[in-house]
């Protein structure tokens, strides 16, 4: 045989030994008893639904002016200067409405916590 076929035989045998060794060690690897899921569980889904219902009820209890500012600033995370510009109100008025809406939200949270 030529040098080329001799080297090919050696490489093939080394590769085969490596594959056998890998299979043997893979069989010895411990199997995880518990698989974790990244999907939210039933409790998380229920809590999210309750929170969304609470926020929706709170928003419907606000007057239109406070609701607009609260939704844009808190829920949509828009900066107050942009909120004021979008609503066509002075910036201090937007801040005042946001402060009042946040106070109302805190009171609503307190009432909800007292009921539980």
């Amino acid at each position: 045989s030529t040098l080329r076929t001799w080297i090919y035989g050696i490489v093939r045998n080394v590769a085969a030994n490596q594959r056998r060794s890998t299979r043997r060690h893979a069989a010895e690897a411990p199997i995880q008893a518990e698989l974790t899921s990244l999907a939210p569980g039933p409790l998380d889904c229920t809590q999210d639904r309750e929170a969304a219902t609470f926020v929706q009820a709170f928003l419907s209890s606000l007057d239109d002016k406070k609701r607009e500012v609260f939704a844009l600033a808190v829920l949509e995370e828009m900066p107050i200067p942009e909120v004021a510009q979008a609503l066509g109100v002075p910036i201090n008025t937007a801040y005042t409405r946001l402060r009042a809406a946040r106070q109302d939200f805190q009171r609503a949270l307190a009432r909800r916590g007292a009921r539980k």
Side-chain angles (χ1 to χ4, degrees):
S1 69
T2 65
L3 179 62
R4 186 175 191 175
T5 57
W6 182 71
I7 292 177
Y8 173 76
I10 292 173
V11 170
R12 188 185 61 184
N13 288 336
V14 169
N17 289 340
Q18 181 64 35
R19 280 193 305 273
R20 274 195 302 272
S21 176
T22 302
R23 268 188 261 135
R24 240 182 279 126
H25 291 299
E28 295 171 1
I31 298 174
Q32 288 184 338
E34 185 177 323
L35 298 176
T36 57
S37 172
L38 299 178
L43 179 62
D44 295 329
C45 291
T46 302
Q47 289 173 338
D48 289 347
R49 197 173 323 112
E50 287 177 356
T53 302
F54 171 75
V55 170
Q56 185 66 38
F58 169 72
L59 287 174
S60 65
S61 72
L62 287 177
D63 63 69
D64 291 340
K65 293 177 181 181
K66 286 181 189 176
R67 183 182 315 118
E68 289 174 335
V69 172
F70 188 83
L72 291 174
V74 177
L75 301 179
E76 298 297 327
E77 299 179 352
M78 187 183 283
I80 286 293
E82 289 181 26
V83 171
Q85 184 180 11
L87 298 177
V89 297
I91 192 167
N92 287 335
T93 302
Y95 276 117
T96 301
R97 290 178 185 170
L98 178 60
R99 183 173 38 79
R102 283 182 174 163
Q103 288 172 347
D104 292 345
F105 188 73
Q106 290 298 323
R107 283 192 289 272
L109 278 177
R111 282 192 307 271
R112 182 175 184 245
R115 282 187 279 159
K116 286 190 172 186

